[in-house]
Amino acid sequence: WTQGAHLLALGLCLAVLTGLRVSETKVVAAKLIQAGVSVTPGDASVERGNSFVVLARFAGPLPAGVNLVLGATPESSKNISLVKSLDDPVFGGSLPEVTDDFVYHVAYGGQRTRDFKVTVFEHPKLERADAQLTYPAYTGLPEKRIADTKRVSAVEGTTLELSLQLNKPVVSARLVAKDKTVIPLLTDTNRASAVLKQFPLGASQSYELQLVDAEGRTNKVPAQFVFDVLKNRPPELKFAAPRGDQKVSALEEITFQAEAFDDFGLGAYGIAYTPAGKETKFIELGQSAPAKEKRSLNYLLKLEELSAQPEQLISYFIWADDIGPDGKVRRTSSDMYFAEVRPFGEIF
């Protein structure tokens, strides 16, 4: 019985040692697998909307299955099977689009890697731009708001305000012209916006919007702004009759017919003539014509009342007032023409 007990004890000892050796072999194999796995990209930063690819490379024995586990807790986690790449010891998988921050790990053969963190970022960009135009007083035009636009057209002297809505707060925003002129915009680190205040429009120009966020990222595709500035043209004056220089008698009457027009409205307008050796006389024929409205000028000049003498020259032209870009009255004159007084009895 004693020998039998010894043999039984020896058998149990051998069985325990064998079990321990098998368990030790399994633990060693698991440790080899765990120590020989590398995950790419690990911790990462991804632009919002891009895809995300995970690769798990094994240096030792390959597990039967490998899963990509998204989420920090079992309740919120999601498993995606990683696929082996041909004969390479690499398992891979991807997410088609990343929209928010998340954590993930790779699970294999009852083991898992540590948690990796993925953060999502965005480049700054313009979402919407609204324009407010304040026209010069002489135009008589009310303020105008243009929603969602990057092109503005206005007369010179107009004041422009731009309100930009961005996808995120920025630390710097500016408009850069082709000639490298820089217009800084007002920004707020707590708001996704930028503002251009009281900018006077003086000349046509195109600008590129440049944005920089707190991490130093810039907008990948700068928005293009175009400011078309219309010149405040002087009045348009045109003689309908008589046409060109004239040869008249001292008893003749000259009938003047003309037109005046202005893009933002006329002030006073009329005709002027200068007898030889005398001062120019201005005849006012009207006041305050609306914008883009033609006005007719008609006047009868009696040479007999001027006591015109043969071989004298009488010059004449039409004139009109408007408000110039500086806000002051501007007078414009047409080309000057001449009427030559011929002898009364001259025969052609």
Side-chain angles (χ1 to χ4, degrees), residues 245-299:
D245 297 334
Q246 303 294 310
K247 202 165 187 179
V248 297
S249 73
L251 301 179
E252 196 168 337
E253 295 176 345
I254 305 177
T255 300
F256 294 109
Q257 295 179 348
E259 288 183 345
F261 166 88
D262 187 67
D263 49 358
F264 293 106
L266 293 168
Y269 55 90
I271 191 168
Y273 62 89
T274 308
K278 298 182 180 179
E279 294 184 356
T280 301
K281 187 172 183 179
F282 291 86
I283 308 298
E284 185 177 308
L285 301 178
Q287 280 270 3
S288 302
K292 299 181 180 180
E293 183 176 305
K294 290 184 178 180
R295 285 298 171 92
S296 297
L297 289 77
N298 299 293
Y299 186 72

Side-chain angles (χ1 to χ4, degrees), residues 171-184:
V171 296
S172 172
R174 61 182 189 169
L175 294 174
V176 181
K178 290 184 177 180
D179 61 2
K180 304 306 179 183
T181 302
V182 176
I183 304 174

Side-chain angles (χ1 to χ4, degrees), residues 113-194:
T113 63
R114 71 173 179 87
D115 285 335
F116 299 101
K117 185 175 182 180
V118 176
T119 56
V120 176
F121 72 87
E122 287 184 290
H123 286 273
K125 67 177 180 179
L126 176 68
E127 298 286 355
R128 175 190 173 104
D130 298 325
Q132 182 80 21
L133 297 174
T134 303
Y135 297 101
Y138 68 81
T139 64
L141 299 174
E143 291 188 1
K144 183 177 182 180
R145 180 175 177 80
I146 307 175
D148 197 9
T149 184
K150 292 191 282 292
R151 178 180 288 271
V152 172
S153 180
V155 66
E156 59 182 330
T158 299
T159 300
L160 168 67
E161 290 195 9
L162 276 179
S163 298
L164 308 183
Q165 296 179 18
L166 311 176
N167 65 325
K168 61 186 298 188
V170 296
V171 296
S172 172
R174 61 182 189 169
L175 294 174
V176 181
K178 290 184 177 180
D179 61 2
K180 304 306 179 183
T181 302
V182 176
I183 304 174
L185 307 183
L186 300 177
T187 60
D188 188 338
T189 55
N190 296 321
R191 298 181 60 187
S193 64

Side-chain angles (χ1 to χ4, degrees), residues 90-101:
V90 178
F91 292 78
S94 66
L95 300 176
E97 183 180 12
V98 177
T99 57
D100 298 296
D101 297 346

